[in-house]
Amino acid sequence: MGYNTQFIGQFRLSKNLDDVLVDRFNKIQDKRHDQNSYPSRYNHWYIKRQYGNQYLAWNGAEKFRHYFAWLDLVCKQYLEMWGVTLSGYVTYVGEDKSDYGVIECVEKMNLQNGIRYTKMLVYKLSEPKWDRQTIEDSIKKEQGEYNEIRRWIR
């Protein structure tokens, strides 16, 4: 029992990584994580190879919790360190009729230091007037709900 969300689409990596790095990344993502240090126990984003390119995609696993926060962590702690950005759209659809939308990743550049990074936007299509919402806002909301549940359980 639990809540499931499906993801359709994938984010393209700005450059291909060597196979050893991809395999290492995917093995790290497969392991169980400490919930005090990570958004949730499991990350279900992985790097896949397709038609000579590499993509970040959902691995199809159930109960992917805090997927916005995981995407942010993957970009900041791994991809940006390797000089890689993401671009593209992934649609998400939850079990609740009102839980659906699109995550967009766009390559941006910090003009002060010349570093490229990924800007993530969320379009919550279920809202009457869907506005672009930054991933940071989604993470804050998601973390707030998570903290409320933890307080309630205690």
Side-chain angles (χ1 to χ4, degrees):
M1 189 149 147
Y3 190 83
N4 287 311
T5 305
Q6 303 286 316
F7 299 87
I8 303 156
Q10 55 200 7
F11 302 110
R12 184 170 184 196
L13 275 66
S14 59
K15 67 179 182 182
N16 285 349
L17 301 170
D18 66 51
D19 290 341
V20 173
L21 203 53
V22 170
D23 291 339
R24 188 180 316 149
F25 173 83
N26 287 338
K27 282 181 184 165
I28 291 169
Q29 301 317 310
D30 280 343
K31 75 175 192 152
R32 183 177 169 146
H33 299 281
D34 175 20
Q35 275 189 276
N36 295 325
S37 304
Y38 293 91
S40 62
R41 291 198 192 280
Y42 297 99
N43 174 25
H44 299 300
W45 296 117
Y46 79 110
I47 297 173
K48 71 179 206 175
R49 301 166 189 92
Q50 186 177 13
Y51 307 117
N53 294 310
Q54 292 176 344
Y55 299 88
L56 189 73
W58 173 52
N59 67 6
E62 296 180 336
K63 299 171 185 64
F64 190 1
R65 302 212 184 345
H66 306 292
Y67 43 88
F68 297 128
W70 271 114
L71 183 60
D72 188 53
L73 184 140
V74 165
C75 285
K76 290 180 179 166
Q77 288 191 6
Y78 295 98
L79 300 179
E80 287 179 11
M81 180 177 69
W82 299 330
V84 175
T85 59
L86 298 175
S87 60
Y89 300 88
V90 169
T91 302
Y92 65 92
V93 180
E95 291 176 350
D96 187 310
K97 290 181 203 176
S98 66
D99 183 18
Y100 61 94
V102 176
I103 304 168
E104 176 186 18
C105 287
V106 181
E107 181 182 290
K108 296 286 186 178
M109 180 184 276
N110 182 326
L111 297 176
Q112 294 176 343
N113 60 17
I115 295 175
R116 294 182 188 279
Y117 65 97
T118 300
K119 175 147 179 122
M120 292 163 276
L121 301 160
V122 179
Y123 304 87
K124 295 196 177 209
L125 303 179
S126 56
E127 295 176 3
K129 179 185 170 207
W130 59 276
D131 295 315
R132 286 169 26 139
Q133 179 183 15
T134 63
I135 197 124
E136 288 84 12
D137 293 339
S138 295
I139 292 168
K140 286 177 191 171
K141 182 180 177 197
E142 208 172 65
Q143 281 302 118
E145 291 169 359
Y146 176 71
N147 290 335
E148 283 297 314
I149 291 168
R150 287 184 91 175
R151 274 189 242 128
W152 183 76
I153 291 172
R154 291 180 189 164

